[in-house]
Amino acid sequence: MKSSMQGGYMPAGLPQAEHVADVRQLSDMQFRSLGLSKVAYTRPATLEDGEEGCAIYAADGSLLAVVDDMETAWGAIVQNDMVPASLQ
């Protein structure tokens, strides 16, 4: 069984979006907010005591937390139902 979708077919059982947005038409702010509550990334940081640590940022670049190490950062991201992103 197939359900039709504009311009083609979509397999039955997949959720259909109420409003489909063309990502090419999004403003910079709208684009940066995609995944804001679901994606986080890490970067090296210096802790208050001068030691090296790890900073956790939201998808838009907002600082969420600074922790002691990468393992703790990734654990905190996953524990908060977010997806850790690896930046290249």
Side-chain angles (χ1 to χ4, degrees):
M1 178 165 115
K2 293 183 179 179
S3 61
S4 64
M5 186 174 111
Q6 192 175 28
Y9 292 96
M10 183 174 71
L14 291 179
Q16 292 185 0
E18 291 180 21
H19 174 68
V20 178
D22 183 353
V23 295
R24 297 171 293 187
Q25 302 299 320
L26 295 177
S27 70
D28 287 345
M29 181 62 78
Q30 289 170 321
F31 186 75
R32 284 192 303 264
S33 70
L34 291 176
L36 182 62
S37 64
K38 299 291 182 190
V39 177
Y41 67 93
T42 61
R43 293 181 63 181
T46 303
L47 302 175
E48 289 180 3
D49 62 3
E51 295 291 321
E52 288 296 315
C54 189
I56 304 171
Y57 294 90
D60 70 347
S62 301
L63 179 63
L64 299 175
V66 179
V67 295
D68 291 333
D69 55 46
M70 181 69 76
E71 185 177 333
T72 303
W74 281 61
I77 292 169
V78 171
Q79 185 176 11
N80 286 285
D81 296 324
M82 298 178 82
V83 177
S86 178
L87 300 180
Q88 302 295 327

